[in-house]
Amino acid sequence: MKPSAGHSTDMQVHTVTADAETFTANVYLAVGEGRATLVDAGAMPGVVDVVEQYTDDLDAVVLTHQHGDHVAELETVLDAFDADCYAYADHPRRTHALSDGDTITVGDEACEVVYTPGHADDHVSLVGDTSLFSGDVVVHDDGAFDDGSFGRTDRPGQSREQLIESIQRLLDRMPDGVEHMYSGHGDVFHGDVRDVVETALTRAEKREPKYPE
């Protein structure tokens, strides 16, 4: 696995789950001169082994939301490292509660916490000066759409209307210089992130099923 290029700092973001053979959300490890941070923990056995290839000292795990494909390996990760756990919703291993508008450091980048429900009631996205960790609210490509897709909203407790509002909130809070998008599924995207998010919003606003029968 090669680090993603293009950051203005020395921060590198590694996709820990790049070689996963089981269904999992993407897990990102941000390392640099700041604190080593894992965004989500995923559901891939061996997450700890991959993290240890890059750092012996994981400082924090930040959860975008607590669906199983994002947190199944959380206990294992926290047992392996003396890391803080940040989450919006309560969790037995949470050490810090996240709220909309908080600032949290991911690797070397200060990110604003943006509450983005719709796909999950506890969903947050992390918006930095150059990076967006979008979880499942917006993804670049996921098999349904390329160049701008969005989290599914057809299951109990999910809401397309809330998701639309969340994507709009992301656009309102995202600076113009964001050029790296790390989403919960699909590929990492480098380029005009705002265009991808606007495309996802347009598609979500059609209110059509994401996965037609």
Side-chain angles (χ1 to χ4, degrees), residues 94-118:
R94 184 179 73 174
T95 57
H96 300 277
L98 294 176
S99 298
D100 184 71
D102 285 354
T103 299
I104 186 169
T105 302
V106 178
D108 293 343
E109 193 161 357
C111 294
E112 181 183 9
V113 176
V114 180
Y115 181 48
T116 48

Side-chain angles (χ1 to χ4, degrees), residues 106-145:
V106 178
D108 293 343
E109 193 161 357
C111 294
E112 181 183 9
V113 176
V114 180
Y115 181 48
T116 48
H119 175 73
D121 286 344
D122 64 333
H123 199 293
V124 295
S125 302
L126 311 173
V127 181
D129 287 339
T130 65
S131 303
L132 167 63
F133 294 89
S134 59
D136 289 0
V137 66
V138 174
V139 303
H140 177 252
D141 57 274
D142 61 358
F145 301 108

Side-chain angles (χ1 to χ4, degrees), residues 70-81:
H70 292 255
V71 299
E73 289 295 305
L74 179 62
E75 300 269 351
T76 303
V77 170
L78 294 177
D79 287 345
F81 300 100

